[in-house]
Amino acid sequence: MKFLMPIMMMVITKTKKSLMFSYSLIVLMFNLNLQKQDMSKISYFMWGDELSFWTFDLSIWIIFILTFNKINQNTIYHSSMFMLLILLMLTFYSWNLMMFYFMFEISMIVVLSIIMTWGYQPERVEAALFMIMMTILTSLPFIISMMNNTTSLSLWNIHCMEVNSWEYMSLMLVFMMKMPTMFLHMWLPKVHVESPVQGSMILASILLKLGSYGLIRTTSINSGFNKNLEWIIMSYSMWTALTMSMICFIQTDLKTMIAYSSVVHMTLVFASITLNKVKSMMGSMYIMIGHGMCSAGLFYMANIIYKNSKSRSIIVNKSMFSMTPTAMMMWFFMCMGNSPMPPSINIMGEFFSFKSIVNWSSNNMTVILIMVIMFLSSLYSIFMFYIVTHSISKSSAAIISNFNSKNINTSVMLIIPMTLTSIDPDLLII
């Protein structure tokens, strides 16, 4: 059903037959491996497991949704989407650390081209340069460490890889920048603000998961050194989540607020992956899939608000959805998924993550910190919902003229996987 639904929508929206055939070919050739198998071999250098299956499923779903959007320079746009899907397939199914690194850096270049082509403000050049510089600064030490270990770059035998402390830190740094975590996140709000809605949806839902995916793959490297770092990483993650939750409250730009909330979720994923336990890995997988759908939906709805009011300011957009009940319901589902609340899969991910952290350290300070983080991360999502739907009504919010059937279909296609995966979350176990 998940493969037929986007293809049916392509037929309804009169998508070109060649494009529809190309996307269908990728789905049929590379992603029909059974997710219940431990490993499935595609070729001599491409292997897949459940983690590859679900992360690539998320990529397919988001890119299929984005192909329905009407945009200027349609041919270039569809070519970019198709090339990005190919690169993500090579990224998630490659079984060599060097190839994985090359593929996810090239996928960032495609997103950079989308931002530069369809961005609508001149400041996008500054944001793109900022992202490039941050990527180069963290990538160079990682390349040097890989060159020192060229004989043990296969992800199948990566637990045998012997690295020193500096090489291990360079390995963590490149994935922390892609997630991103605190102090390495400065490029993210800038890029989100300057990019079009397609760039924001791809960046938040797929490319931020590349860092988490890379950390999960490489978490078995030199576990003894990892144990020595656990206290530093866990305290850093907890205080970062608390700080970023409070930063969300002082934002006036809606897209910046959603971008900072992504940093909070990804920091929890970083803490869960560091523990390297069964429940923590399950929790990180749940958050990755749920947040991928939820953040893409939030950016899409924020773009609808922007097109109506020509402003991203929370103050200007007060009560924007108050006279449109359908839009209000969609926004409610997105915000509660970000909160997280049932029936979203995100709540199971956060419960597993917090349970793993409490099992790791059950002292009073950790428990109090986790309770405060849970409260604050829910509160800014509730605030984000309330300010757009329940403030004093203005004449500009009388009707949202561009909330048509296409917007409703796109929002529903992002909400449904986020809620349905919570019915049988065992499918996502890695």
Side-chain angles (χ1 to χ4, degrees), residues 147-186:
M147 289 171 66
N148 292 334
N149 297 276
T150 51
T151 57
S152 55
L153 291 178
S154 173
L155 294 177
W156 185 258
N157 298 316
I158 203 159
H159 58 277
C160 303
M161 187 175 175
E162 291 292 331
V163 293
N164 57 36
S165 57
W166 290 108
E167 289 173 342
Y168 186 77
M169 286 301 295
S170 70
L171 191 74
M172 287 187 64
L173 200 64
V174 69
F175 294 129
M176 285 168 67
M177 205 285 293
K178 287 293 188 297
M179 289 183 73
T181 53
M182 185 74 163
F183 304 118
L184 296 170
H185 74 283
M186 284 83 77

Side-chain angles (χ1 to χ4, degrees), residues 346-364:
N346 301 47
I347 190 168
M348 299 189 67
E350 297 221 356
F351 275 151
F352 276 119
S353 300
F354 288 137
K355 178 71 166 61
S356 304
I357 294 168
V358 171
N359 288 345
W360 171 76
S361 172
S362 56
N363 60 34
N364 294 333

Side-chain angles (χ1 to χ4, degrees), residues 58 78 90 235 243 280 357 365 408 424:
L58 176 66
H78 284 301
L90 292 171
S235 57
T243 308
S280 65
I357 294 168
M365 189 62 192
I408 295 170
D424 190 10

Side-chain angles (χ1 to χ4, degrees), residues 104-121:
F104 87 65
E105 291 294 353
I106 294 171
S107 62
M108 289 291 280
I109 294 172
V110 176
V111 174
L112 193 68
S113 67
I114 292 171
I115 293 168
M116 294 300 293
T117 307
W118 289 281
Y120 42 81
Q121 289 178 351

Side-chain angles (χ1 to χ4, degrees), residues 95-332:
W95 215 246
N96 182 280
L97 191 59
M98 183 68 84
M99 182 182 172
F100 166 73
Y101 166 74
F102 280 144
M103 288 301 113
F104 87 65
E105 291 294 353
I106 294 171
S107 62
M108 289 291 280
I109 294 172
V110 176
V111 174
L112 193 68
S113 67
I114 292 171
I115 293 168
M116 294 300 293
T117 307
W118 289 281
Y120 42 81
Q121 289 178 351
E123 287 83 2
R124 67 184 186 275
V125 179
E126 181 187 348
L129 285 173
F130 200 32
M131 183 173 74
I132 291 168
M133 290 305 297
M134 292 281 287
T135 303
I136 290 171
L137 283 173
T138 53
S139 293
L140 287 175
F142 178 67
I143 293 173
I144 294 168
S145 64
M146 281 199 298
M147 289 171 66
N148 292 334
N149 297 276
T150 51
T151 57
S152 55
L153 291 178
S154 173
L155 294 177
W156 185 258
N157 298 316
I158 203 159
H159 58 277
C160 303
M161 187 175 175
E162 291 292 331
V163 293
N164 57 36
S165 57
W166 290 108
E167 289 173 342
Y168 186 77
M169 286 301 295
S170 70
L171 191 74
M172 287 187 64
L173 200 64
V174 69
F175 294 129
M176 285 168 67
M177 205 285 293
K178 287 293 188 297
M179 289 183 73
T181 53
M182 185 74 163
F183 304 118
L184 296 170
H185 74 283
M186 284 83 77
W187 62 275
L188 187 69
K190 283 179 174 290
V191 172
H192 272 308
V193 165
E194 305 303 333
S195 66
V197 62
Q198 292 84 9
S200 291
M201 289 173 71
I202 293 169
L203 197 64
S205 60
I206 303 170
L207 295 189
L208 294 192
K209 309 301 175 289
L210 288 173
S212 310
Y213 178 87
L215 273 180
I216 291 173
R217 289 291 188 219
T218 58
T219 191
S220 58
I221 293 178
N222 204 342
S223 57
F225 185 70
N226 192 10
K227 293 289 182 187
N228 298 331
L229 276 178
E230 269 188 3
W231 274 104
I232 300 172
I233 292 172
M234 297 305 294
S235 57
Y236 165 80
S237 302
M238 290 295 99
W239 287 108
T240 295
L242 181 65
T243 308
M244 298 304 289
S245 298
M246 291 189 288
I247 287 173
C248 285
F249 285 106
I250 62 172
Q251 300 303 316
T252 57
D253 191 315
L254 198 57
K255 285 185 81 172
T256 312
M257 190 175 182
I258 300 167
Y260 276 118
S261 71
S262 298
V263 180
V264 176
H265 290 294
M266 288 296 104
T267 306
L268 291 176
V269 171
F270 177 54
S272 302
I273 294 170
T274 304
L275 291 175
N276 199 14
K277 306 292 183 185
V278 176
K279 282 185 180 177
S280 65
M281 287 296 184
M282 285 168 57
S284 63
M285 187 66 187
Y286 294 163
I287 295 175
M288 282 167 62
I289 299 298
H291 176 261
M293 296 295 175
C294 175
S295 61
L298 283 170
F299 279 115
Y300 187 79
M301 298 287 285
N303 183 65
I304 294 170
I305 295 172
Y306 171 76
K307 286 197 291 187
N308 194 68
S309 66
K310 302 297 183 288
S311 173
R312 293 188 306 267
S313 172
I314 293 176
I315 300 165
V316 173
N317 290 308
K318 283 183 178 179
S319 72
M320 185 58 66
F321 285 155
S322 60
M323 301 300 288
T324 314
T326 311
M328 188 189 296
M329 184 181 69
M330 300 295 177
W331 185 248
F332 174 78

